[in-house]
Amino acid sequence: EKGYETGEHAPGLKLGGGGAYKAAHHIIKTHAKVWHSYNNKWRSKQQGMVGISLTSSWGEPVDPHSQTDRDTAERYIQFHLGWFANPIYRGDYPEVMKNYVGKPHAQQGLGTSRLPTFSVQEKTYIKGTSDFLGIGHFTTRYAIQKSFPFLQVSSYHTDRDLAELVDPKWPAPGPNWLYSVPWGFRRLLNFIKTQYGNPLIYVTENGVSEKVQCTQLCDEWRIEYLKGYINEILKALNDGVNVKGYTAWSLLDKFEWNKGFSERFGFYHIDFKNKNKPRYPKASVDYYKKIISANGFPNPREVMS
């Protein structure tokens, strides 16, 4: 969406309401081609695995007893994760995407939807093309029903018919989009288990950046974030979710999309102004080292409550 519709991210294209859907369509088909290529040529020799890594927040209904709110939260997650995962695990785009992206066109008598369609052969070719699912996850939103003005230009953002809310009590140590909501991760992982047949999961990104550079490198909020989120993965494992590995995001401060070097996710602080780019461990390094060496929480009393 940001690369092919709004143009905020590289390659900076503003292709209007259908750009993101077209780009995603090509990504999904290309992914399937790569998987089949590996499957046919190299798997027998190498015994390797090919998967896809998808980043998704969790969408929670504002009122879990309201059917409208539950449907809205479901729509939120299907427009995020389901957009890519559904074709790969179930053979087509989520029904709710087909209905909602097509809806403005049907109302305006425009015929075809901006969401491309897969042929029967493509659906068969794409379905099952992932030996594992990589998951990047950072935060959660409440999703609430919102109808956009009829004359507004249709886009990925308006197609969902929802607004995103946050709880002001949620910690927000990093940028304005990244609230710490550990329980959302367990719910996301259980959603994947039930929707996609409990696939093998590797957590490929999970972490928090910092708004202000802490001169003493005392990132205790990152320690709290990691503790909370890793604990929820532990709960998900007890729920029977097939999580096999975890990657904290990230080892080093680095170049972060259109934020450049200003947004720091790293365990190690990098002095970008120094030509040698020296690295300094933050407090979270010591904490994460202990988790790795114990293959879990060093003090079990900290967690699983």
Side-chain angles (χ1 to χ4, degrees):
E1 184 215 2
K2 288 188 167 76
Y4 291 87
E5 192 172 291
T6 65
E8 290 168 67
H9 285 177
L13 300 178
K14 297 179 183 177
L15 301 178
Y21 298 127
K22 281 182 187 156
H25 200 68
H26 291 309
I27 288 167
I28 293 161
K29 291 204 288 186
T30 310
H31 163 80
K33 190 161 189 178
V34 171
W35 187 91
H36 281 286
S37 170
Y38 186 83
N39 200 48
N40 296 335
K41 291 182 185 169
W42 295 292
R43 189 188 297 274
S44 55
K45 286 187 200 137
Q46 297 179 352
Q47 300 297 305
M49 292 197 301
V50 177
I52 194 164
S53 186
L54 305 174
T55 300
S56 182
S57 303
W58 172 247
E60 180 75 8
V62 173
D63 177 2
H65 303 295
S66 155
Q67 187 61 50
T68 302
D69 283 9
R70 288 205 304 272
D71 290 347
T72 305
E74 168 88 9
R75 202 158 63 246
Y76 177 91
I77 201 78
Q78 293 294 0
F79 265 82
H80 270 71
L81 181 67
W83 185 5
F84 294 87
N86 221 73
I88 288 167
Y89 284 96
R90 302 176 74 163
D92 200 2
Y93 291 120
E95 284 304 311
V96 71
M97 277 193 84
K98 292 197 273 187
N99 294 339
Y100 273 73
V101 180
K103 191 168 64 168
H105 275 240
Q107 286 169 345
Q108 293 160 23
L110 296 174
T112 56
S113 167
R114 286 167 295 113
L115 185 70
T117 53
F118 295 113
S119 68
V120 175
Q121 290 91 336
E122 284 171 340
K123 288 177 186 177
T124 309
Y125 186 73
I126 292 162
K127 188 178 178 183
T129 57
S130 210
D131 305 319
F132 65 88
L133 178 59
I135 284 291
H137 175 74
F138 295 91
T139 193
T140 285
R141 292 287 185 273
Y142 284 110
I144 193 164
Q145 172 77 37
K146 178 185 178 181
S147 296
F148 290 87
F150 183 65
L151 295 172
Q152 189 164 345
V153 177
S154 297
S155 66
Y156 169 78
H157 188 69
T158 59
D159 287 337
R160 304 177 302 161
D161 268 9
L162 59 84
E164 299 176 25
L165 306 175
V166 297
D167 185 333
K169 294 193 284 291
W170 289 344
N176 56 7
W177 62 271
L178 210 172
Y179 292 80
S180 180
V181 195
W183 52 260
F185 203 5
R186 182 185 186 184
R187 295 185 186 193
L188 176 67
L189 291 168
N190 272 282
F191 176 88
I192 291 165
K193 176 188 167 192
T194 53
Q195 286 275 313
Y196 309 127
N198 203 13
L200 175 63
I201 295 172
Y202 287 93
V203 177
T204 43
E205 287 188 30
N206 174 238
V208 66
S209 62
E210 54 216 58
K211 280 179 187 154
V212 284
Q213 184 187 320
C214 186
T215 46
Q216 288 80 37
L217 305 176
C218 48
D219 58 344
E220 66 287 337
W221 66 87
R222 185 173 281 110
I223 291 169
E224 285 305 308
Y225 180 98
L226 291 167
K227 185 194 290 185
Y229 276 75
I230 292 169
N231 188 32
E232 292 297 319
I233 299 171
L234 197 52
K235 292 177 189 175
L237 279 166
N238 286 343
D239 298 334
V241 180
N242 191 12
V243 183
K244 194 77 175 187
Y246 174 83
T247 310
W249 193 258
S250 59
L251 178 66
L252 308 168
D253 290 339
K254 56 173 176 16
F255 192 87
E256 181 65 27
W257 297 91
N258 56 346
K259 299 288 188 289
F261 299 117
S262 67
E263 197 164 305
R264 296 171 178 270
F265 275 87
F267 283 124
Y268 285 84
H269 173 83
I270 310 295
D271 181 358
F272 292 113
K273 293 188 174 77
N274 184 315
K275 74 174 186 351
N276 294 322
K277 309 287 186 288
R279 306 167 179 186
Y280 304 99
K282 302 174 189 176
S284 53
V285 166
D286 195 47
Y287 181 74
Y288 197 58
K289 275 181 179 173
K290 286 175 183 161
I291 287 182
I292 291 170
S293 60
N295 195 26
F297 291 99
N299 177 5
R301 285 178 303 186
E302 285 185 313
V303 296
M304 287 299 289
S305 54

